[in-house]
Amino acid sequence: KDRQNSKFFISGVATVTIKGGIFHGFNPSLVGDDNGATSIEDIKFVDGCADGYAPIQIDENTYGVEEAEAKIGNIGYKTLEEAVAVVKEGETIKLIADVTIENTINVTFDLTIDGNDKTLTYTGADRAFQITGGTVVINDMTVDMPNVDEGDRGINLYNGATNKAIDVTLNSVEVKGGKAYAVNIGGGKENKLTINNSTLTGYAAIN
């Protein structure tokens, strides 16, 4: 049929949702312009993966689309822990699914965590987040801690051992601390906490 009469050609917008497959030569979540594309290798998708799926890099030039919990840029990671292990200073980890973790997330440098309106359930004991340095921004996330005990901490700021300045901002974050302190500002100096449009509950909201 006449390509120029296609509503997708006229509007310049088409939606592609991907839940699996192997892609050679391009990352299926990269932003690009498909005008003049003559082959699949020329086409780039804008957030083409379904919710909860992301491109997983197989090798230098090959990507698979699989279920994932988090993304850094355009690369997905099957678990949040995998993303935390490789994230670089100044980057953003974006949740693309609700996640459950049992180990503390340790943050030592500048980092943004985009919760993307997902829930992080922490099943460990004490300190869902241990922040010991850097400018850290957490956005749009629910942190649920069903197993903590009295005196435990949800988001803990402590630089007594590092002497690195800590500047934490919570934007639209809900911390369900249960018996724990939702946010604890521990020992050290130059600890700054900014809270915007957030709800903190627990043994104490802030200690």
Side-chain angles (χ1 to χ4, degrees):
K1 294 184 178 181
D2 186 355
R3 176 174 177 263
Q4 293 186 354
N5 291 329
S6 164
K7 65 180 180 179
F8 302 115
F9 181 84
I10 293 171
S11 69
V13 177
T15 299
V16 178
T17 300
I18 301 170
K19 289 188 176 181
I22 302 296
F23 298 85
H24 300 277
F26 73 102
N27 179 337
S29 74
L30 291 179
V31 175
D33 183 357
D34 67 348
N35 290 335
T38 58
S39 67
I40 190 69
E41 288 81 7
D42 295 327
I43 300 174
K44 306 291 185 289
F45 298 101
V46 180
D47 291 331
C49 298
D51 192 32
Y53 290 76
I56 306 294
Q57 189 162 11
I58 297 171
D59 58 37
E60 183 178 0
N61 213 29
T62 305
Y63 299 84
V65 174
E66 301 180 19
E67 288 188 85
E69 292 183 350
K71 292 201 306 183
I72 302 173
N74 294 303
I75 301 298
Y77 296 88
K78 293 182 180 180
T79 68
L80 174 59
E81 287 92 340
E82 290 180 12
V84 170
V86 300
V87 69
K88 295 181 176 63
E89 184 168 4
E91 291 186 325
T92 297
I93 295 176
K94 180 178 181 179
L95 295 186
I96 57 174
D98 294 332
V99 302
T100 299
I101 62 172
E102 61 180 352
N103 296 314
T104 299
I105 296 174
N106 291 290
V107 180
T108 62
F109 49 62
D110 294 357
L111 178 67
T112 297
I113 299 176
D114 178 2
N116 192 30
D117 295 321
K118 306 301 183 185
T119 296
L120 182 152
T121 300
Y122 177 65
T123 60
D126 201 6
R127 308 183 193 191
F129 291 89
Q130 171 80 340
I131 300 172
T132 58
T135 298
V136 180
V137 180
I138 304 176
N139 298 322
D140 305 309
M141 176 191 292
T142 297
V143 180
D144 189 13
M145 301 180 297
N147 297 338
V148 291
D149 292 322
E150 186 174 320
D152 287 347
R153 290 143 286 191
I155 300 173
N156 191 56
L157 286 61
Y158 178 76
N159 61 5
T162 66
N163 275 332
K164 294 175 64 176
I166 299 174
D167 185 349
V168 174
T169 300
L170 306 180
N171 296 313
S172 299
V173 173
E174 180 178 7
V175 180
K176 298 178 179 180
K179 298 178 182 179
Y181 301 114
V183 177
N184 183 71
I185 302 176
K189 59 182 180 180
E190 297 186 57
N191 290 334
K192 179 182 178 182
L193 173 66
T194 303
I195 302 172
N196 299 311
N197 193 34
S198 297
T199 303
L200 310 176
T201 57
Y203 180 77
I206 301 174
N207 182 49

